Amino acid sequence: MPDTKHPTSGGPTPADRGLPTVDISGWTCPTPLRDQPRVVMGHGGGGALSAELVQQIFAPAFGGEILAQLGDSAAVSLGGVRLAFSTDSYVVRPLFFPGGCIGDLAVNGTVNDLAMSGARAAYLSCGFILEEGVEMPVVAGVADAMGAAARAAGVEVATGDTKVVEAGHGDGVYLNTAGIGLIPPGVDLRPQRVVPGDVVIVSGDIGLHGVAIMSVREGLEFGVEIESDCAALGGLVESMLAVTPDLHVLRDPTRGGLAAALCEIASASCTGIVVQERAIPVPSAVANACAILGLDPMYVANEGKLVAFVPREHADAVLDAMRAHPLGAGAAIIGETVETHPGMVVARTPLGGTRVVDLPLGEQLPRIC
Amino acid sequence: MPDTKHPTSGGPTPADRGLPTVDISGWTCPTPLRDQPRVVMGHGGGGALSAELVQQIFAPAFGGEILAQLGDSAAVSLGGVRLAFSTDSYVVRPLFFPGGCIGDLAVNGTVNDLAMSGARAAYLSCGFILEEGVEMPVVAGVADAMGAAARAAGVEVATGDTKVVEAGHGDGVYLNTAGIGLIPPGVDLRPQRVVPGDVVIVSGDIGLHGVAIMSVREGLEFGVEIESDCAALGGLVESMLAVTPDLHVLRDPTRGGLAAALCEIASASCTGIVVQERAIPVPSAVANACAILGLDPMYVANEGKLVAFVPREHADAVLDAMRAHPLGAGAAIIGETVETHPGMVVARTPLGGTRVVDLPLGEQLPRIC
């Protein structure tokens, strides 16, 4: 669908734009991005604008084969060993939120990106960009949370760097983590391996991280305190791979939520995806908060969930293994891949209707991670 | 020297403080750092304040053996393979300067950190933190420079991430790179391997990067345009290791300059270092600029130089190999290690005097890289 056109700025929800497809590989800008004058918040949202930045600026500039695969982590070969290698920067606001802080988020986020390649994280790097004047106990609290999260995930922070910028050029603490881990033999998790007939499984309740951030940032109360689901998924993935190494693809639905993860996989695999809305686990507190705020839980960020595309013959056994793990207790089959509408994600509504699930343009809520 | 006391804030040059030692492992704060209220610019300067932050907050929080070695990069083992793993964040201001920009700086900086472990960089990650409103051609220019530098250094940018923060919470572009590379068999570069009698070699003219940044930032003119020496040192290191894998330690003197690099090695190796000031290659343009600005070239940052500690029997051959490489054409022996004054760096002045070269407290010039 190379002639698909999206506006380069606009409302927060893709539904507003009434667009028919989710094919980001064919996503073209009415104005080529290099002629767009400035970066907007949506370029960091993990949606179509982010993809455009990567595809039109970074990928051509860097010119690598591996980056062009656009996975959560890169699978590289070094000294005869297959490694997963990944990085994320973290600019979440506020720094501390119910269920976590930027420190454990930065550890778990990179551990999870590696886990989505099937790799157990072995070593992390961490880069701090501190704003002059930030309180030292804040820095210590973030560092302590990183250390605790690293120990919990069984990963070692091996190298680091700290820079300080003047007050007014940062926001307390920005963090970057990169990580490396071994990919076990026989494991090959890529969207390109998805085929029609695969079963789509999500590991539990969606929307918790985004709603937790929103509740503290906007000072909203929803009756109960909603905590981020921030957690390291390496152990859950290991228990799934113990059933079969032949999983097709895993993705942790962070920025852009479950919708963005599904759209990216549909596009990269050229496969259609059909999900049953009723089957998607949405906690009532998240549903209520989203109803009040006019958000769709499928677009809200998660930090301790994964979505798996599994060959049909292994689906029940993988689901059982997930439910036996504390971080997969709420796992559910939410849909399947189909031959029709390749590259497009469709949701069946509880009332029997059908809607297109589109890649978000930016992020409903900036600086969610 | 565990009773050495440094003030926790103060003037820009260590000489102002008249302190006798450079032992950062025994550096203690009159007030424990966690009770210091706030981060100051010097915590990012690569000097004593940076070391204190790592030793008192990050190392205890992360608790790893490898981080505690405090090298430019970590040597880790994964799948039976020895890897160097390193990260740096870049916040240089301005983004573009004579001789380079933040993009090639970020590639070369991490390539060089890996080279200081003897490793040829294989893969890089890159994390962008963009400020809302930054001009798109600036982002494209930085990315293009990264790509060109990566190709020149023979390294592939394999994975990346982009975040955007609101205007007023960044400064155009902040970058992080992490990198991995293989450490060749038989190579073991660590300060702990330095012994009295080692020869200290610097690969060429010092002070160029810092003075180049300063000249554009402050709008100063020194008659000639001074360009940053920003370059990737992997090839130079390979040519040195081809002479002998038995080099003892390499360090690239970035933040804090040659002085900080020497002080860190003296401290970590518990060896004394004596350098001949007259032997240190300082271009006249750098010397003049430093004289005007009241700076000591030994404390000014470099981005394409290294300092090597080499067993005496290999020193001449290593020096010859360096001089045969374009990035080592100006290499010079500048001193040696001694049994006396362990942990301390001493410079012999041209007039026959002796001065202590102390670890800088912070950085003469913030946001140099």
Side-chain angles (χ1 to χ4, degrees):
Chain A
M1 283 152 256
D3 59 345
T4 306
K5 301 260 189 276
H6 291 204
T8 55
S9 64
T13 69
D16 292 343
R17 295 176 291 122
L19 294 166
T21 82
V22 294
D23 181 352
I24 65 170
S25 65
W27 197 90
T28 54
C29 217
T31 311
L33 187 140
R34 287 193 182 218
D35 296 333
Q36 279 190 272
R38 291 179 185 278
V39 167
V40 298
M41 292 303 293
H43 284 115
L49 287 170
S50 292
E52 190 198 51
L53 196 63
V54 172
Q55 289 170 2
Q56 294 192 30
I57 293 197
F58 296 143
F62 303 155
E65 291 284 312
I66 300 169
L67 189 72
Q69 294 174 10
L70 298 176
D72 277 348
S73 74
V76 302
S77 186
L78 202 52
V81 167
R82 274 210 313 160
L83 297 177
F85 181 31
S86 184
T87 192
D88 268 323
S89 295
Y90 296 85
V91 297
V92 66
R93 186 166 59 82
L95 295 173
F96 294 82
F97 47 80
C101 75
I102 193 172
D104 39 332
L105 190 66
V107 169
N108 291 334
T110 292
V111 165
N112 291 349
D113 281 347
L114 297 174
M116 298 307 112
S117 289
R120 173 69 104 163
Y123 298 103
L124 293 185
S125 67
C126 84
F128 280 83
I129 298 178
L130 303 177
E131 185 185 13
E132 179 189 18
V134 63
E135 298 85 349
M136 199 59 78
V138 169
V139 179
V142 169
D144 286 344
M146 289 190 80
R151 283 186 288 278
V155 62
E156 180 165 353
V157 181
T159 185
D161 174 62
T162 305
K163 296 291 190 300
V164 180
V165 295
E166 302 89 343
H169 290 291
D171 203 357
V173 179
Y174 295 149
L175 260 178
N176 175 283
T177 50
I180 51 176
L182 285 178
I183 302 175
V187 173
D188 181 21
L189 297 164
R190 287 180 290 125
Q192 292 75 16
R193 294 199 60 228
V194 171
V195 292
D198 280 357
V199 173
V200 183
I201 305 177
V202 68
S203 64
D205 287 340
I206 67 164
L208 291 164
H209 178 72
V211 170
I213 295 288
M214 205 162 337
S215 66
V216 283
R217 195 189 295 171
E218 311 300 338
L220 301 175
E221 294 189 13
F222 303 114
V224 293
E225 184 179 79
I226 298 171
E227 288 201 347
S228 168
D229 56 347
C230 181
L233 297 170
L236 175 63
V237 170
E238 278 186 347
S239 70
M240 297 165 68
L241 290 170
V243 174
T244 173
D246 188 33
L247 308 176
H248 285 166
V249 71
L250 302 177
R251 193 61 65 100
D252 58 332
T254 56
R255 286 182 290 180
L258 181 61
L262 294 175
C263 288
E264 286 167 19
I265 291 171
S267 171
S269 67
C270 291
T271 308
I273 300 175
V274 178
V275 294
Q276 306 295 330
E277 277 197 356
R278 196 196 300 267
I280 299 171
V282 181
S284 59
V286 169
N288 293 342
C290 285
I292 291 167
L293 296 163
L295 301 176
D296 181 338
M298 281 187 75
Y299 291 89
V300 176
N302 312 275
E303 290 292 344
K305 296 298 179 304
L306 63 81
V307 56
F309 286 63
V310 181
R312 183 164 299 272
E313 64 270 26
H314 298 303
D316 288 340
V318 169
L319 184 67
D320 288 346
M322 293 174 76
R323 287 182 170 164
H325 190 282
L327 293 176
I333 292 174
I334 61 167
E336 61 182 347
T337 52
V338 295
E339 283 192 54
T340 50
H341 56 80
M344 189 187 294
V345 181
V346 161
R348 304 263 183 251
T349 67
L351 297 176
T354 295
R355 66 179 176 112
V356 170
V357 177
D358 205 355
L359 188 69
L361 188 68
E363 170 57 74
Q364 294 171 322
L365 188 69
R367 297 184 55 189
I368 198 81
C369 62
Chain B
M1 284 151 257
D3 59 345
T4 306
K5 301 262 187 276
H6 291 203
T8 56
S9 64
T13 69
D16 292 342
R17 295 177 291 123
L19 293 166
T21 82
V22 295
D23 182 351
I24 64 171
S25 66
W27 197 90
T28 52
C29 218
T31 311
L33 189 138
R34 287 190 183 220
D35 296 333
Q36 280 191 271
R38 291 178 185 278
V39 168
V40 298
M41 292 305 292
H43 283 116
L49 286 171
S50 292
E52 190 198 51
L53 196 62
V54 172
Q55 289 169 2
Q56 294 192 29
I57 292 197
F58 296 143
F62 303 156
E65 290 285 312
I66 301 168
L67 188 73
Q69 293 174 12
L70 298 175
D72 277 350
S73 73
V76 302
S77 185
L78 202 51
V81 168
R82 273 210 315 160
L83 297 176
F85 181 32
S86 185
T87 192
D88 267 324
S89 295
Y90 296 87
V91 298
V92 66
R93 185 168 59 83
L95 295 173
F96 294 82
F97 47 81
C101 75
I102 192 172
D104 40 332
L105 190 65
V107 168
N108 291 336
T110 292
V111 164
N112 291 351
D113 281 347
L114 297 174
M116 298 308 112
S117 290
R120 173 69 103 164
Y123 298 103
L124 293 186
S125 66
C126 84
F128 281 84
I129 298 178
L130 303 176
E131 185 185 12
E132 179 189 18
V134 64
E135 298 85 349
M136 199 60 77
V138 169
V139 179
V142 169
D144 287 345
M146 288 191 81
R151 283 185 289 278
V155 63
E156 180 166 353
V157 181
T159 185
D161 173 63
T162 305
K163 296 291 191 299
V164 180
V165 295
E166 302 88 343
H169 290 292
D171 203 357
V173 179
Y174 295 148
L175 260 178
N176 175 283
T177 50
I180 52 176
L182 285 178
I183 302 175
V187 173
D188 181 22
L189 296 164
R190 285 180 292 126
Q192 292 76 15
R193 294 199 60 227
V194 170
V195 292
D198 281 357
V199 173
V200 183
I201 306 176
V202 69
S203 64
D205 286 340
I206 66 165
L208 291 163
H209 178 73
V211 170
I213 295 287
M214 206 162 336
S215 65
V216 285
R217 196 189 296 173
E218 311 300 337
L220 302 175
E221 295 188 13
F222 304 112
V224 294
E225 184 179 79
I226 298 171
E227 288 202 347
S228 169
D229 56 347
C230 183
L233 297 170
L236 175 63
V237 171
E238 278 185 348
S239 70
M240 296 165 68
L241 290 171
V243 174
T244 172
D246 189 34
L247 307 177
H248 285 166
V249 72
L250 302 176
R251 192 62 65 102
D252 57 333
T254 56
R255 285 181 291 180
L258 182 61
L262 295 176
C263 288
E264 286 167 18
I265 291 170
S267 171
S269 66
C270 290
T271 308
I273 300 175
V274 178
V275 294
Q276 306 295 331
E277 277 196 356
R278 196 195 300 269
I280 299 171
V282 181
S284 58
V286 169
N288 293 341
C290 285
I292 292 167
L293 295 164
L295 300 176
D296 180 339
M298 280 187 76
Y299 289 89
V300 177
N302 312 276
E303 290 292 343
K305 296 298 179 304
L306 64 82
V307 57
F309 286 64
V310 181
R312 184 165 298 272
E313 64 270 26
H314 299 302
D316 288 340
V318 169
L319 183 67
D320 288 347
M322 293 174 75
R323 287 182 171 163
H325 190 281
L327 294 176
I333 292 174
I334 60 167
E336 61 181 346
T337 51
V338 295
E339 283 192 54
T340 49
H341 56 77
M344 190 187 294
V345 182
V346 161
R348 304 263 183 250
T349 68
L351 297 177
T354 295
R355 65 177 175 113
V356 170
V357 178
D358 205 355
L359 187 69
L361 189 68
E363 170 57 75
Q364 294 171 322
L365 189 68
R367 296 183 55 186
I368 197 81
C369 63

